[in-house]
Amino acid sequence: MTFDAQAWLAEARSLIGETNVLTPNREEDLSAFVKDWRGKFQGPALAVLRPATTAEVQGLVRLAARAGVAIVPQGGNTGLCGASVPMTSGRQVVLQLGRMNKVRELDVRNNTVTVEAGYILQQLQELAASAGRLFPLSLGAEGSCQIGGNLATNAGGMQVLRYGNMRELVLGLEVVLPDGEVLDLLRALRKDNTGYDLKQLFIGSEGTLGIVTAATLKLFPLPTAETSAFAGVASLEDAISVLDVMRASMGDRFSAFELISHPALELVRQYFPDTPPLLEQDCAWYLLMKAADGGDGSALNDAMQAALMACMEQGTIKDVALASSLAQTQVLWDLRENVTHAQQMDGGNIKHDVALPISRLPAFVEGMLPELAHAFPGVRPIIYGHLGDGNLHFNVSAPDGVDAKAWQTRTDAVNKIIHDATVALRGSISAEHGVGQLKRDELLHYKTAIEMDVMHRIKKALDPQNLLNPGKVLNT
Ligand code: FAD
Ligand code: 2HG
Ligand code: ZN
């Protein structure tokens, strides 16, 4: 059967309205939807479709299935693995969920909220705070990423140490399946053992198994006091000793433990020259820590100071600055977020998002640095990330004088060194960003045949026509 694109688009328009079907022509610039945040992946779209209800998503999925049109679900398009934009081959539409942005229910007593997939993460944090609750997921792209995207990538970020990643914050989901059926799993229960936990299949599946249209999420008590500190340490071993002390003395109040290497800090200073000096001495590594609690701030500050002092007495912390105002706190967290931006401004890098048992991280990094330097003289590893979760962004920037674009051609060789060592220590080559197009072929190499086979069987069972985000995660 021949495909009549114009007739198909006309049907799409009749389903969701003329203005919600964007097509590639001079008036409608689709670049924001067809190119990824890093500018690394880009593919043509037959159209960008912007449904506003679950019924509209359902109608579009059925329309696409009838004509064999593939769908690329998209939230804020902040993903870092090329999963949210079309592939270069095939007949694909982008299904942009941004208009599905209603709050379906805020149940403060049950500590839950049900929002649609297109709700922006930062708006959800604000909504929760206005009800005296916390929605703890927090990451650099929170001003534009959407709950659907956070679910589809099982996003992590800054507070996983205390609250877990997105998977752990979900109680219920509503999903449109590839055949257009709506799977209503929107339950606001903390206990429910009635068979397989189907929602887990869709979390982290990067839009390959179903389209998330709404979610019921957990809320937590809103801390009334918060304190952040920035400390310098000489080694990763010392950093991990600091983590032990902080957790032992602060318990659950300790909510974030981020690592920034000296070269990462220097890069931020280069591109954000307003970054103020924070410590009196340079150190090899810096730790950005946060604790939060109810009550007034003085007890929390005292506890944080006492724990930091204990580390200084042990000699693990060399120098420390405690934020004493909201403005100072903001400076510290801006600095952390700016590492990614500074790297982007520097011309890009070869990204690695690895997780290892935290006990093995020091040996991993110490082994990796000389090996990389030997293989690529002058190379600039920019290491930072969520040390408290054993998750490092081991990004590798071009050696001085090497063009950033030319450096990208070395990706396979750099990946091999870092990913081989990660997997040898039973680590993960994608801790929080996902697979998308970027690491799809790496999965084939590092996962067992049986693991891949089970993933393919699940994909085939739910999406036999291979319509949802083909070419992402799996070689389909
Ligand atoms: P998109 O990029 O639009 O999509 C990502 C994936 O989800 C794609 O596979 C897409 O098809 C799928 N998808 C989107 N919506 C739906 C839906 N409704 N149903 C089904 N599938 C869907 N990530 C972290 O984990 N931790 C961090 O600390 C972090 N920091 C970041 C900082 C910056 C500056 C940037 C640019 C990114 C960062 N990220 C981080 C990565 C990114 O923000 C997250 O992966 C985020 O969860 C993606 O959300 P999104 O709405 O932008 O999704
Ligand atoms: C972060 O932790 C993000 O800042 C982005 O996950 C990491 O840019 C990166 O590699
Ligand atoms: Zn991260």
Side-chain angles (χ1 to χ4, degrees), residues 157-158 258 336 353 384-386 391 393 432-433:
M158 311 297 171
E258 295 288 310
R336 167 63 183 82
D353 169 33
Y384 63 107
H386 319 287
N391 172 197
H393 299 306
E432 60 171 11
H433 295 160

Side-chain angles (χ1 to χ4, degrees), residues 39-55:
K40 195 174 166 67
F41 295 100
Q42 179 166 9
L46 181 62
V48 175
L49 309 174
R50 302 171 65 240
T53 64
T54 302

Side-chain angles (χ1 to χ4, degrees), residues 69-92:
V69 171
I71 294 177
V72 182
Q74 188 182 84
N77 196 16
T78 67
L80 298 172
C81 296
S84 54
V85 293
M87 304 287 291
T88 47
S89 60
R91 189 187 295 159
Q92 309 206 333

Side-chain angles (χ1 to χ4, degrees), residues 231-244:
V233 295
S235 69
L236 285 181
E237 277 298 349
D238 285 352
I240 293 168
S241 301
V242 172
L243 177 63
D244 279 347

